[in-house]
Amino acid sequence: MIFGLLKDRKVGEYRVIATPLEVSTIKADGHTVLVERDAGLMAGFSNEEYEEQGAEIVETTEEMYERADLLAKVKEIEEPEYKLLREGQIIYTCIHPAAHEQQVQAILDSKCIAFTAEDSHRYGSVNCEAAGKQGALMGLQAMLTINGGKGKFVSGLAGAPGMKVLILGGGLVGKSALQVLHSLGAWCTVMDVNFGTLRDIGQMYNEKVNTQLSTKQNIAKLLPEIDMVINCVKWPKGSKDYLIDREMLHLMEKGSVLVDISNDEDGAIESFRETTHEEPMYIENGVVHYCVSNIPGAIANSTSVAYAASVLGHLRSILNSGVREACIKDGYLRRSLTAYKGFLTHEETSAVQNRPWVRPEDILQIAQEMLDPAPPATVAKSDNFLKI
């Protein structure tokens, strides 16, 4: 097959989904590799390094879409790319389909085969770890007086107490943020709805981290004494409620910081609006908001190296075995199948956008095979099935 490595064009995005090392492996499997010019440049990988591993450097995005059987990149398909998608072509990238209706429509109209990478990770995405760790550091940047924050130092100084931080969500993102902040000396509280998660965090840190059940009431009670809130909750799509609504901002002291790593429209934070690395912060009701959607792009080299290694298995499986066999062998890849030749195959997107869908097992005709199991990617359910 012909594998194409696309350059990401989202504002502030500098990562690349395959380094020259992964290209070398794919070439060794017998495939042709196309790399869009400067795809890895900002992450520290030159065109020459890719060429040394056998890749062909391609000048335009249009040629990449025209020639490649499987295309991969880090972030969403941008609007100028919609018209370039073609029938039967395979796309692997972070589509976030439930939140991007126009992108989904373009994918369906093109009749391409699309995988949303964020649902394909068996052990959690490296990007989540990166977002949690770097997001914590970005929050400390927002806390500086020169950025409108309280001007508190994370661990405190002689005679001055350290910061109090509330982390909403104890999953991979939250645990990663906690790892950084606790090691720097912040006073941390983690809230989650899973008592097993809270118990594990308490034991991991020898009960030196406070844990509480995540409820709106518990959050409101704690906010007046909190310096920084980090939201790491994957909020149910379509929910009309918030964990922190605008009125609750009045409970926070002026100069407090709110870092929304989960970064969802209609997410857990009502005052959220997406920002970029160029203008990362805004102040609402005296609270400094940091809401950059692609935080890992700020550490493009480290994230690219780790992320490329984590997805190589999926790319090789599709390239070497084809979509059908790859989805039989890996349930996490199967659940990430978003669209197949004009049919929606992503349950959450069906539920949120009220679109009819087909289970991947049915459209691929593999329901009777020995399928590798995987849990659902989200709690969203849809019985709006399309008969095929």
Side-chain angles (χ1 to χ4, degrees), residues 230-283:
I230 300 186
N231 176 43
C232 309
V233 175
K234 190 172 184 179
W235 200 240
K237 296 288 191 299
S239 176
K240 301 303 180 185
D241 196 12
Y242 304 96
L243 277 180
I244 298 180
D245 58 38
R246 278 193 164 86
E247 283 301 308
M248 293 168 70
L249 296 181
H250 294 280
L251 299 172
M252 303 175 72
E253 291 183 347
K254 304 299 181 187
S256 298
V257 171
L258 201 165
V259 180
D260 195 347
I261 297 178
S262 288
N263 216 265
D264 285 327
E265 295 288 350
D266 299 322
I269 310 299
E270 186 178 14
S271 54
F272 161 83
R273 67 174 185 268
E274 186 177 349
T275 61
T276 66
H277 289 296
E278 284 70 25
E279 295 183 39
M281 291 170 255
Y282 61 91
I283 298 176

Side-chain angles (χ1 to χ4, degrees), residues 19 82 91 94 142 150 157 186 217 234 285 321 326 370:
T19 75
Y82 292 172
I91 308 293
C94 290
K150 288 182 178 180
L157 304 171
Q217 293 71 28
K234 190 172 184 179
N285 194 52
S321 304
M370 293 289 291

Side-chain angles (χ1 to χ4, degrees), residues 192-239:
D192 200 281
V193 295
N194 187 321
F195 272 92
T197 296
L198 298 179
R199 185 176 294 114
D200 289 344
I201 289 172
Q203 291 174 349
M204 187 181 304
Y205 288 92
N206 295 317
E207 310 303 339
K208 293 179 180 178
V209 170
N210 292 326
T211 59
Q212 277 189 267
L213 179 67
S214 181
T215 68
K216 200 167 184 175
Q217 293 71 28
N218 278 343
I219 294 169
K221 185 177 180 180
L222 207 58
L223 282 182
E225 62 183 78
I226 291 297
D227 300 306
M228 181 164 69
V229 176
I230 300 186
N231 176 43
C232 309
V233 175
K234 190 172 184 179
W235 200 240
K237 296 288 191 299
S239 176

